[in-house]
């Protein structure tokens, strides 16, 4: 049985302020939890409706009913397990290689897709502006399918971070240089902007290399690409060199 205090704590973690206050987040589903258990993330407690996860000690595991799982789950149709983990201490961002930067990304669906893209294309470092959606949002954790364990994510003051870097800075704009005709380096910071407003004016001032993904449609009326779709194209081109 899950106590009232445990239910209150776990359900509160659906909100960012309580995740920060408790330095905890939760994950649901066998695959995601197994990925987290096999990484450097520290397990606090595991709740499961079946006696699985033999690698987890009984002290940190509780077999519960489906009814109790529904009380703590953030899913409309709960999975078979939920686990609490500690939010790790930020790892320092290394000023080398390709770094992806997100300027005020607000949609959890975009963030989880971008995180998986980083994992796919071998981008080890992702930085987000401090007002971007939280990486430990339950929807993001659920959808990353383990990529959260393989990409270093930090929240920073983008203007300050970019202002101090020695790496070339790239950004995506409607009036930039054609990415398919550009010579792209093996190191640099790639900035992707907000879903509605693009890259903020403060960050734009620091972008020396503006890129665009050209439209090929005959009517040329499409306003923009979804940011996650654009990120996939940009990372693919940088990976090709």
């Amino acid at each position: 049985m899950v106590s009232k205090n445990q239910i209150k704590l776990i359900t509160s973690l659906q909100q960012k302020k309580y995740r920060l206050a408790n330095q905890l987040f939760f994950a649901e589903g066998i695959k995601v939890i197994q990925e987290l258990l096999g990484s450097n993330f520290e397990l606090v407690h595991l709740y499961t409706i079946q006696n699985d996860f033999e690698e987890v000690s009984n002290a940190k595991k509780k077999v519960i009913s489906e009814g109790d799982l529904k009380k703590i789950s953030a899913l409309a149709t709960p999975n078979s397990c939920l686990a609490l983990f500690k939010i790790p201490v930020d790892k320092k961002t290394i000023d080398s290689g390709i770094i992806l930067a997100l300027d005020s990304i607000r949609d959890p669906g975009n963030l989880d897709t971008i995180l998986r893209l980083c994992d796919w294309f071998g981008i080890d470092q992702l930085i987000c502006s401090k007002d971007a959606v939280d990486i430990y949002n339950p929807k993001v954790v659920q959808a990353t399918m383990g990529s959260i364990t393989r990409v270093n994510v930090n929240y920073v003051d983008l203007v300050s971070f970019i202002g101090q870097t020695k790496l070339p800075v790239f950004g995506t704009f409607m009036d930039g240089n054609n990415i398919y005709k550009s010579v792209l380096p093996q190191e640099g910071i790639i900035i992707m902007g907000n879903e509605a407003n693009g890259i903020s004016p403060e960050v734009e001032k620091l972008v020396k290399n503006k890129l665009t993904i050209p439209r090929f449609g005959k009517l040329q009326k499409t306003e923009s690409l979804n940011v996650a779709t654009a990120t996939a194209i940009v990372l693919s081109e940088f990976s090709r060199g």
Side-chain angles (χ1 to χ4, degrees):
M1 183 175 179
V2 185
S3 70
K4 289 183 178 180
N5 285 339
Q6 289 171 321
I7 293 172
K8 183 178 180 181
L9 170 63
I10 295 168
T11 55
S12 75
L13 298 179
Q14 294 185 40
Q15 298 183 52
K16 181 179 179 180
K17 64 179 180 179
Y18 293 113
R19 291 195 294 272
L20 292 175
N22 293 283
Q23 286 298 289
L24 297 172
F25 73 98
F26 66 84
E28 299 191 64
I30 292 174
K31 177 175 173 53
V32 177
I33 292 174
Q34 284 179 333
E35 292 272 11
L36 287 163
L37 289 174
S39 71
N40 293 324
F41 283 85
E42 183 179 345
L43 174 69
V44 175
H45 210 85
L46 170 68
Y47 302 88
T48 176
I49 62 173
Q50 50 199 25
N51 195 16
D52 46 9
F53 294 98
E54 294 182 359
E55 70 273 28
V56 178
S57 69
N58 290 331
K60 288 193 172 185
K61 179 171 65 174
K62 180 177 287 189
V63 179
I64 62 174
S65 67
E66 290 187 28
D68 277 344
L69 184 62
K70 287 181 180 179
K71 292 177 183 178
I72 58 177
S73 175
L75 302 175
T77 304
N79 215 304
S80 63
C81 47
L82 179 150
L84 281 179
F85 290 90
K86 288 186 178 180
I87 293 176
V89 176
D90 286 348
K91 296 179 182 178
K92 184 178 179 181
T93 302
I94 301 171
D95 205 24
S96 64
I98 295 293
I99 300 172
L100 184 65
L102 305 182
D103 186 4
S104 301
I105 297 297
R106 301 298 176 84
D107 185 346
N110 283 330
L111 180 56
D112 69 58
T113 300
I114 290 171
L115 193 67
R116 292 175 70 179
L117 286 168
C118 286
D119 192 13
W120 184 270
F121 286 105
I123 307 300
D124 299 324
Q125 303 186 96
L126 174 65
I127 59 174
C128 304
S129 58
K130 292 186 176 181
D131 60 348
V133 62
D134 182 21
I135 193 71
Y136 298 110
N137 179 302
K139 292 180 180 178
V140 178
V141 174
Q142 183 74 17
T144 60
M145 300 302 288
S147 290
I148 193 173
T149 67
R150 294 182 289 273
V151 180
N152 181 36
V153 182
N154 283 328
Y155 286 78
V156 302
D157 181 321
L158 272 187
V159 172
S160 176
F161 182 89
I162 296 168
Q164 295 174 12
T165 186
K166 296 179 181 179
L167 296 174
V169 180
F170 295 82
T172 49
F173 299 87
M174 293 300 292
D175 59 349
N177 295 317
N178 187 333
I179 191 170
Y180 301 123
K181 296 180 180 179
S182 300
V183 177
L184 304 175
Q186 296 298 305
E187 290 195 320
I189 296 174
I190 305 168
I191 303 169
M192 305 301 295
N194 172 265
E195 290 89 344
N197 303 311
I199 294 173
S200 62
E202 297 80 11
V203 174
E204 181 179 355
K205 293 176 182 177
L206 302 173
V207 178
K208 303 299 183 183
N209 306 280
K210 294 186 176 182
L211 298 172
T212 192
I213 301 168
R215 291 177 292 187
F216 291 96
K218 292 181 179 179
L219 297 180
Q220 300 284 299
K221 288 188 176 182
T222 306
E223 288 188 6
S224 63
L225 286 172
N226 166 273
V227 65
T229 301
T231 301
I233 295 170
V234 171
L235 292 184
S236 178
E237 286 302 301
F238 270 86
S239 296
R240 290 196 325 120

